[in-house]
Amino acid sequence: MRAIKIHRFQRAILLAAVLWTGVASSPAAGDADIAIVVRPDVPVDNLTFGELRRLMLGDRQFWTSNLRVTLLVRSPGTRERDVVLKNIYRMSEAQFRQYWIAKVFRAEAAAGPRIVYSNDMATELTLGIAGAVAFVEADQVPKGLKVLKIDGKLPGEKGYVLR
């Protein structure tokens, strides 16, 4: 009898987690542009879209000879991740996963992107890891991070590509 109660409790917890995840990643989170953020000591202020794509594909692994790029990407199902997959990677979720598995397997990258579960986590890790780059909703960028321009445009400007 006790095993049945525990099993029901586990199912209830799992259901609550699934429902909470759906709420947390709902479109109601906003339609703000997605900003590319780095620490102020990253020696880049502007990237062309091509440079941004190479960076996200892991083809550019260093900002400078001694400052490694660390990619921080939101978890599946989030708006930020969907925008990045659609506009930069031009891949589905399955293609993205397969791409990084193959890239690491072929030793073309030391590791795939680190997964972050919230904008707060993304900004905290960006502040804490030298060379980290993350994507967050533009209206949630905290003081202390630098927003990179894409093709000379910041979030909110006409022609900005990460919407």
Side-chain angles (χ1 to χ4, degrees):
M1 185 68 169
R2 187 165 193 254
I4 292 172
K5 287 182 181 178
I6 291 172
H7 182 68
R8 286 182 183 159
F9 178 73
Q10 288 172 332
R11 283 193 335 201
I13 294 296
L14 180 61
L15 180 60
V18 168
L19 292 174
W20 182 81
T21 301
V23 169
S25 63
S26 70
D31 290 329
D33 287 351
I34 304 301
I36 308 160
V37 295
V38 296
R39 287 180 11 170
D41 60 349
V42 170
V44 174
D45 294 318
N46 183 49
L47 294 169
T48 67
F49 184 78
E51 290 170 330
L52 175 63
R53 186 165 158 72
R54 284 189 296 281
L55 184 80
M56 294 307 295
L57 289 170
D59 294 338
R60 177 179 177 180
Q61 296 183 19
F62 291 88
W63 295 108
T64 61
S65 62
N66 62 348
L67 184 58
R68 180 177 285 281
V69 172
T70 300
L71 298 175
L72 304 175
V73 178
R74 288 294 306 270
S75 57
T78 59
R79 181 175 172 275
E80 295 86 348
R81 185 179 181 109
D82 291 345
V83 169
V84 169
L85 287 180
K86 178 184 173 191
N87 295 318
I88 298 174
Y89 282 102
R90 300 178 189 140
M91 296 178 190
S92 68
E93 184 67 41
Q95 290 169 325
F96 173 78
R97 289 181 185 161
Q98 190 62 37
Y99 174 83
W100 279 103
I101 290 169
K103 192 158 188 83
V104 171
F105 180 77
R106 292 188 307 262
E108 294 174 1
R114 293 184 183 187
I115 305 301
V116 295
Y117 297 97
S118 68
N119 278 323
D120 288 340
M121 185 179 184
T123 57
E124 286 176 29
L125 287 173
T126 302
L127 285 167
I129 301 171
V133 59
F135 292 81
V136 297
E137 295 233 3
D139 59 1
Q140 295 185 20
V141 176
K143 291 188 185 306
L145 287 179
K146 177 169 48 172
V147 177
L148 297 182
K149 294 179 182 179
I150 304 172
D151 291 327
K153 293 180 174 45
L154 286 169
E157 294 181 356
K158 185 177 180 171
Y160 186 75
V161 296
L162 295 180
R163 304 208 148 163

